[in-house]
Each structure stands twice: as structure tokens, then as C-alpha cells.
Amino acid sequence: MPHRLARFLLILLLAATATGAGAATPRQLFLVSQPPVTLTNHHGQLLTGNYSVNLLWYGRFTPAQRAVVADFILSLSPSVSGTASVAAWWATTARYHPGAARLSLGRQVVDPTLSLGRRLSESSLASLASRLGPHRGTVAVVVTAADVLVDGFCLSRCGLHASSSSSTRNATSSSGRGGRGRFAYAWVGNPAEQCPGECAWPFHQPPYGPQAAPLVSPNADVGMDGAVITLATLLAGAVTNPYGGGFFQGPAEAPLEAVSACAGVFGNGAYPGYPGQVRVDAATGASYNAVGVAGRRFLLPAMWDPATAQCSTPLV
């Protein structure tokens, strides 16, 4: 089973609000019936130490689109300081004992000609990720363009993180086990054309539930700003539960992880259909809650903090 982003749980909650919740408001639903978030350490291997994130761009992307993702990864470095920084958000992963990975931007490979075709399976993603070797000390990330069709994209997931051997013969989802010769990888799609309501919320109205006005994306690209939310979710899961024996809640086949357990929360006061209180740029109207390199702004999802046992959002 592939790793499934819990933002789809949010969509289901929105659907329930629209179709079967009686007179209850989304806020009332949030207050009454939300289960507690408690991630358990299953004492498996975590990614620790210094890791490079290597990117494979599958399909056509503009330089500006590539820069959004590259700058997000660059912003994870502790050299980018400040309580509202992307680095401060990522520092929460260090509280997952024995301490998670320090990520930096590695090499980038472009494949604009779609060498494996326009439609990809999960095994195709593993094959693409294998091109980013050697894999020691790296996390491979495949980013697919808006017109690339990936099995399950939009229907059950916005991306995935998994592990594979260098030969890609034994690719597994986050329910797999780590071992010699294995590496962690992730895939994220650009949802701008196929499913912005599912995978670029809150920058696009959801297909179900309350239809509040969407937020303005901080980098003027709904698809890539949505992809950053997905990538942030996947990278946090990849370092705290890379092989299925790390930190998660629920069954190993469909785990809720460091960020996916806090789906739909971006600021204080969040509830299904409302992302919470975030900062708004007075000049552009763009919403954000974290700042990265060269002042680049991002909207990042909440992450479960082991120290407080709460879903914590970036401070703004």
C-alpha cells in the first residue's frame, strides 16, 4: 500500500460536513469528535545525520517553478534563522529520538522528454528515483509536471514516500523495513491541473464541504505552493519513518506520520475547512507562515511535536 497523505482525511471530513452533519458547523465538528494525535515510536531506523535531497524534474517546469521547491529545501538548513523560519519548523524533527536528518539541497536532474512516458506507476517512480544515485546519505525526490499522470494521483494521494534498493526490484512503501543497500525516496506531483482542490488546498477551493475563499499562494503558483505542502509532509515522514518502523499512529499499512497526522492545520484555530490564522502580506494578499532563503515565503503544515504531544505550526 502506498503512503497516503492525510489531507484526504480532511476532504472526507469536509464531505461529511456537506452531506450528513445535520445542523453542526465545521467548528462544532472539530471540537466534538477529533481523536487525539499520539505518534508511537516503533523503534525502527530513522534517518539521522547529514542528507542531501536530490531532485529529478519529470516533465516541463519553468525555472521559477523549480526555484520554489529548491528554495524550500535550501531553507531547511539551520543557517536560515528565526522563529518563523522554515528551518525552525524543520527543527521539530530533531525531537524525534534519536534525532532526525539535517537536509540540504543536492543535485538536480531534468527529464523534460518524459523518458518513461506520460503515465507512471509506482514502480516507474522507484525507477526514476534510482537515477539519482549514488544514494548513500541522500533522499531522492521525483517531482512530476502538471500533465503527467501517476497511478493513484488525486484519487488516493498527492504524493508518497517509500524506500527501494538500488536495483529498484524491491521497492516498498513506508510499511517496508530498512536494510543494507536501501534508500529513501519521495514523489510529489504538481496538482495545478488535475486536482487543485484535493492537493493544493487551501490555495484552491475543496471539491466538498465549506466553500470559503481560497488563500492566495505565497509564490503566485497554486500548483507549486501546493506541491511544497506535500513535499514538506513527505520529507518529515521520510526521516521519522523511512522504513515503516519509526514514528507513526495507526496501522503500518496506512500510517499517520509527523505531518500527515496534523492534516489541514496551518495556523492557530484551524478546523476542517479552515486552515487557521496565518500571516497575510499587505501588498500581495498572499498567505504564509514561514520564511526561507532570500525572504522566500511558504505556507507549511503543522508538525506533531514529541516534546509537547501537540500539532505545532510555524510561528508568525
Side-chain angles (χ1 to χ4, degrees), residues 72 89-90 227-237 259 299-301 303:
F72 166 67
W89 173 84
W90 183 254
V228 165
I229 294 173
T230 299
L231 180 58
T233 303
L234 296 172
L235 288 177
V259 173
L299 186 70
L300 300 182
M303 187 186 306

Side-chain angles (χ1 to χ4, degrees), residues 47-253:
L47 301 188
T48 60
N50 296 319
Y51 277 74
S52 296
V53 179
N54 294 334
L55 297 171
L56 189 150
W57 300 94
Y58 192 78
R60 296 189 179 277
F61 295 87
T62 68
Q65 288 178 318
R66 294 199 298 269
V68 171
V69 172
D71 283 354
F72 166 67
I73 296 170
L74 286 170
S75 300
L76 298 171
S77 169
S79 63
V80 182
S81 61
T83 56
S85 69
V86 176
W89 173 84
W90 183 254
T92 303
T93 62
R95 296 194 273 277
Y96 285 72
H97 183 77
R102 296 177 292 276
L103 301 184
S104 60
L105 180 64
R107 66 193 187 94
Q108 301 185 56
V109 175
V110 296
D111 185 352
T113 61
L114 304 178
S115 59
L116 295 185
R118 193 173 299 278
R119 178 147 201 158
L120 302 176
S121 64
E122 189 168 342
S123 62
S124 301
L125 298 173
S127 178
L128 290 171
S130 71
R131 298 181 184 179
L132 293 169
H135 297 288
R136 184 177 180 84
T138 70
V139 177
V141 175
V142 177
V143 187
T144 52
D147 60 346
V148 174
L149 305 175
V150 178
D151 289 352
F153 187 38
C154 302
L155 299 177
S156 62
R157 58 191 180 185
C158 303
L160 66 81
H161 78 80
S163 65
S164 179
S165 64
S166 297
S167 66
T168 74
R169 293 177 183 174
N170 299 310
T172 63
S173 71
S174 56
S175 61
R177 296 289 174 178
R180 293 183 61 186
R182 302 197 68 75
F183 68 95
Y185 72 93
W187 155 70
V188 57
N190 179 346
E193 297 179 9
Q194 298 183 52
C195 53
E198 288 89 347
C199 296
W201 185 86
F203 304 126
H204 191 280
Q205 289 180 309
Y208 308 106
Q211 298 296 302
L215 303 184
V216 177
S217 64
N219 295 288
D221 190 316
V222 168
M224 296 313 295
D225 278 315
V228 165
I229 294 173
T230 299
L231 180 58
T233 303
L234 296 172
L235 288 177
V239 301
T240 60
N241 187 35
Y243 307 116
F247 285 83
F248 62 89
Q249 177 178 327
E253 295 77 15

Side-chain angles (χ1 to χ4, degrees), residues 5-26:
L5 284 180
R7 259 190 286 174
F8 279 96
L9 297 180
L10 174 66
I11 298 299
L12 292 177
L13 285 172
L14 295 174
T17 301
T19 60
T25 66

